[in-house]
Amino acid sequence: MECGYYDRDLCRSCTVIEVPYEQQLARKQELVRELVGAHGEPRWLPPVASAQAGVRNKAKMVVAGRVGEPTLGILDGTRGVDLEDCPLYPESITRALHGLAEFTAWTRLLPYDVGKARGELKHVVVTANPAGRLMVRFVLRSTRQLPKIQENLAELRRLVPAADVVSVNLQPEHKAVLEGPEEILLSGQGELSMPVNGIDLRVRPRSFFQTNTGVTAQLYRQVRDWVDAVDPTTVWDLYCGVGGFALHVACPDREVVGTEISAEAVASARDTARAMGLPQRGPGSVRFLVADAAATPADLPGTPDLAVVNPPRRGLDASLCAWLEGSGVGHVVYSSCNAKTLARDLARMPSLEPVEARLLDMFPHTGHYEVAVLLRRR
């Protein structure tokens, strides 16, 4: 991937951009094989490569600069570096970033100054679906400049016509946190449609979705294929997010339960399940609960035939590893963005052996990745 920002030493976020892509993929494959291989000898499927540019469906841009002259990108110390044309983003996001920069200047929104801890507009966050429709979020320090956005929505629509969802998030604290707990919806539509493998998933402003839609589609298909091969009657999808895994493995003879700590994500998952006409009880059912994954086993009766876990980078809680180890669950599918914590968790669950695994490159030009492993009770 060619990147003028990297060439001009303005951004070093793509840490291995100078390494040929085939070598990037091989290095990641070697790393995950070594870490997982210490706990078994799974069959490794061919790695899933990513497109090299235009792959990220979400741009989280720091707003800096001055009133009327904002920058949307990253910070170099306290100075803003504008990255509106970053090649990692598809054209729909690039167009939106230019429109949002113009909107921010035209409405004279006050960029947040990190060095002086004052100002209002901290971030703009843009999410795109495969059709180029958008969710646009403004992260403000307070409600002081909220009226400027509310009163000029027509201008925002003109500059960013693909924006289906528009909201403001309030993050008052002076620390490196993207968003706060309060979201103010400014559009009539509150969810962005995110079609994946024929399933119309829904993403709300504060719910998580994988950043590379193309590779995510292959991840969901891989997990669906493993689950169908095992053919369990009951499946629990822990850390279910907006329901991607749970909805992909649904079938008439299977009961699926998804749990997620984010109420917004669960609401989105329930909306999709309703739209698909899936029942909430009995064979063929899919239901979603707001619950901490670590506490889920205590809240649900029985033990599933198969569990899917997709934790954050810190991996599984020790208590959940202990429950999975002692539960008698026959199979686990573990999707991880950090093979080090995956390896740690495998060591905590010696009764579950890796039988098949696959690297999926969600994050080209970086050291990050996704790895999925099918575990079977010894």
Side-chain angles (χ1 to χ4, degrees):
M1 182 180 74
E2 296 294 327
C3 178
Y5 298 114
Y6 187 91
D7 294 341
R8 299 195 301 277
D9 202 24
L10 294 173
C11 177
R12 284 291 189 263
S13 298
C14 291
T15 54
V16 294
I17 193 173
E18 295 184 72
V19 178
Y21 184 66
E22 294 75 15
Q23 292 183 31
Q24 294 181 31
L25 203 58
R27 289 178 182 178
K28 293 179 183 183
Q29 179 81 345
E30 181 181 1
L31 170 68
V32 298
R33 288 190 70 147
E34 179 180 349
L35 288 166
V36 174
H39 304 279
E41 298 181 358
R43 172 176 173 258
W44 283 90
L45 300 174
V48 173
S50 172
Q52 295 182 47
V55 298
R56 293 201 176 182
N57 57 34
K58 188 174 186 177
K60 298 178 283 191
M61 312 300 273
V62 177
V63 181
R66 300 189 297 270
V67 172
E69 297 180 8
T71 63
L72 276 58
I74 59 175
L75 290 178
D76 180 4
T78 59
R79 180 181 66 89
V81 178
D82 197 274
L83 300 179
E84 292 174 37
D85 293 302
C86 171
L88 287 175
Y89 303 117
E91 184 181 351
S92 57
I93 288 183
T94 300
R95 288 196 303 266
L97 292 176
H98 283 278
L100 287 166
E102 186 175 342
F103 178 79
T104 300
W106 185 77
T107 53
R108 299 189 64 77
L109 292 171
L110 179 61
Y112 185 70
D113 187 319
V114 171
K116 297 178 181 178
R118 66 187 188 194
E120 289 297 321
L121 180 57
K122 293 185 169 184
H123 301 91
V124 294
V125 183
V126 183
T127 304
N129 72 9
R133 305 307 299 177
L134 305 172
M135 176 163 60
V136 173
R137 303 171 66 207
F138 296 87
V139 181
L140 298 177
R141 185 186 186 189
S142 72
T143 58
R144 289 192 190 107
Q145 293 203 311
L146 174 61
K148 286 190 174 184
I149 300 174
Q150 292 173 314
E151 293 164 6
N152 291 288
L153 283 177
E155 181 66 9
L156 178 62
R157 297 285 188 193
R158 184 186 72 80
L159 293 169
V160 191
D164 290 339
V165 181
V166 180
S167 69
V168 164
N169 179 273
L170 299 181
Q171 206 297 81
E173 298 186 62
H174 179 67
K175 60 183 181 180
V177 175
L178 175 67
E179 62 186 27
E182 184 176 355
E183 197 85 21
I184 302 169
L185 187 65
L186 302 183
S187 56
Q189 182 172 327
E191 296 176 320
L192 179 68
S193 168
M194 191 69 75
V196 181
N197 297 327
I199 297 176
D200 193 12
L201 300 174
R202 291 159 168 80
V203 180
R204 294 190 180 195
R206 298 185 67 244
S207 55
F208 169 79
F209 188 77
Q210 297 278 12
T211 191
N212 187 325
T213 309
V215 176
T216 297
Q218 295 186 72
L219 171 63
Y220 288 159
R221 291 198 298 270
Q222 180 61 69
V223 172
R224 180 190 61 200
D225 290 347
W226 280 338
V227 173
D228 286 348
V230 173
D231 195 23
T233 300
T234 54
V235 174
W236 291 359
D237 177 11
L238 310 179
Y239 307 92
C240 71
V242 297
F245 290 120
L247 294 164
H248 273 78
V249 304
C251 74
D253 298 321
R254 187 175 296 155
E255 293 185 36
V256 181
V257 178
T259 68
E260 166 62 46
I261 201 166
S262 166
E264 286 223 332
V266 168
S268 295
R270 288 171 176 168
D271 286 348
T272 303
R274 276 194 294 269
M276 294 173 67
L278 297 171
Q280 293 192 37
R281 300 287 178 183
S285 65
V286 180
R287 62 191 176 103
F288 295 98
L289 309 174
V290 179
D292 183 350
T296 294
D299 296 334
L300 293 175
T303 300
D305 299 323
L306 182 146
V308 179
V309 292
N310 181 29
R313 287 189 62 79
R314 66 177 181 272
L316 302 177
D317 286 357
S319 61
L320 182 53
C321 287
W323 184 86
L324 289 168
E325 169 67 12
S327 67
V329 60
H331 290 82
V332 174
V333 176
Y334 193 138
S335 181
S336 170
C337 61
N338 184 351
K340 292 181 179 179
T341 54
L342 166 62
R344 180 204 66 199
D345 292 343
L346 292 178
R348 291 170 169 172
M349 302 183 294
S351 296
L352 293 162
E353 64 173 337
V355 293
E356 203 158 73
R358 194 166 202 179
L359 170 74
L360 302 104
D361 191 17
M362 289 276 185
F363 309 96
H365 316 303
T366 76
H368 302 294
Y369 50 81
E370 193 82 11
V371 58
V373 184
L374 173 64
L375 309 174
R376 178 180 60 204
R377 188 162 295 277
R378 298 182 191 275

